[in-house]
Amino acid sequence: MTRFTGKKKPNLLKREGVEEVDWKDAALLRKFVSDRGKIRSRRVTGLTPQQQRTTAKAIKNAREMALLPYGGR
Amino acid sequence: MVFMRHYEMMVILDPNLDERTVAPTLDTFLNVIRTSGGNVEKVDVWGRRRLSFEIKKQAEGIYAVLDINCETAAVKELDRQLSLQDSVLRTKVLRRESAKK
């Protein structure tokens, strides 16, 4: 119930000044991943649907190249 | 003319190689691109980096990123030749979709 007394939504974490994530930028991608290595949900990141999609893709690409962990559980 | 496209290629090499020899070795492979009429925009050797999980029993790898303009068949061949190499742990070829900026 406390949920919708608050403001609209958390924040656009994209206010890093980047418009599109680069899959090679592991440091940036780390911010969209939990400490377990899971991709953060949109509720947490506050990204637009398009951004969330491209970010998730970027994270998956980065994982394949061992830049990010696969985590899980 | 044939279809030229921009490709981005990342290669992870064996950490036991000498880092200084990486660029010249990659260059010999890049002749595949050049002879087929493509050109290599940039070769960026990141150097040694910790892998977040082991690949072929290695905990580290030497990363290199290549920016290439060439036709499809040429990257395919380059990727094939590289992945046959024992010193190459992994490769990835991507096409930069949005040719932005």
Side-chain angles (χ1 to χ4, degrees), chain A residues 19-27 30 60-70, chain B residues 8-12 46 49-53 55 63 65 90-92 94 96 98 100:
Chain A
E19 238 138 77
E20 207 178 318
V21 279
D22 188 357
W23 64 281
K24 303 193 288 315
D25 190 351
R30 275 258 149 71
K60 286 167 187 173
N61 274 330
R63 277 179 183 165
E64 273 189 54
M65 294 311 276
L67 296 171
L68 290 176
Y70 271 104
Chain B
E8 194 174 50
M9 186 169 191
M10 189 187 260
V11 190
I12 306 181
W46 286 8
R49 207 174 179 293
R50 246 205 120 61
L51 304 175
S52 47
F53 48 86
I55 299 176
Y63 280 75
V65 178
R90 203 164 276 199
T91 61
K92 188 178 193 68
L94 277 189
R96 274 271 112 144
S98 43
K100 29 96 205 206

Side-chain angles (χ1 to χ4, degrees), chain A residues 8-72:
Chain A
K8 282 212 154 171
K9 60 172 130 173
N11 65 326
L12 249 181
L13 232 166
K14 269 304 157 84
R15 291 297 81 103
E16 297 277 335
V18 245
E19 238 138 77
E20 207 178 318
V21 279
D22 188 357
W23 64 281
K24 303 193 288 315
D25 190 351
L28 174 65
L29 292 175
R30 275 258 149 71
K31 295 178 180 157
F32 297 97
V33 141
S34 75
D35 41 6
R36 269 260 159 79
K38 291 178 166 186
I39 299 172
R40 284 255 155 86
S41 72
R42 177 144 59 238
R43 190 162 56 202
V44 180
T45 58
L47 297 178
T48 67
Q50 290 86 340
Q51 287 171 326
Q52 179 76 12
R53 241 182 290 132
T54 50
T55 311
K57 269 263 165 57
I59 290 171
K60 286 167 187 173
N61 274 330
R63 277 179 183 165
E64 273 189 54
M65 294 311 276
L67 296 171
L68 290 176
Y70 271 104

Side-chain angles (χ1 to χ4, degrees), chain B residues 18-76:
Chain B
D18 192 343
E19 251 172 79
R20 280 160 298 181
T21 65
V22 166
T25 345
L26 280 176
D27 220 53
T28 56
F29 284 105
L30 292 176
N31 281 330
V32 188
I33 306 290
R34 298 207 185 87
T35 51
S36 68
N39 71 299
V40 182
E41 255 174 46
K42 198 170 84 196
V43 179
D44 186 6
V45 180
W46 286 8
R48 219 164 291 253
R49 207 174 179 293
R50 246 205 120 61
L51 304 175
S52 47
F53 48 86
E54 289 187 4
I55 299 176
K56 291 190 189 163
K57 307 268 188 287
Q58 302 289 346
E60 286 187 323
I62 300 174
Y63 280 75
V65 178
L66 316 170
D67 271 331
I68 299 166
N69 270 314
C70 68
E71 43 186 295
T72 324
V75 252
K76 255 198 174 158

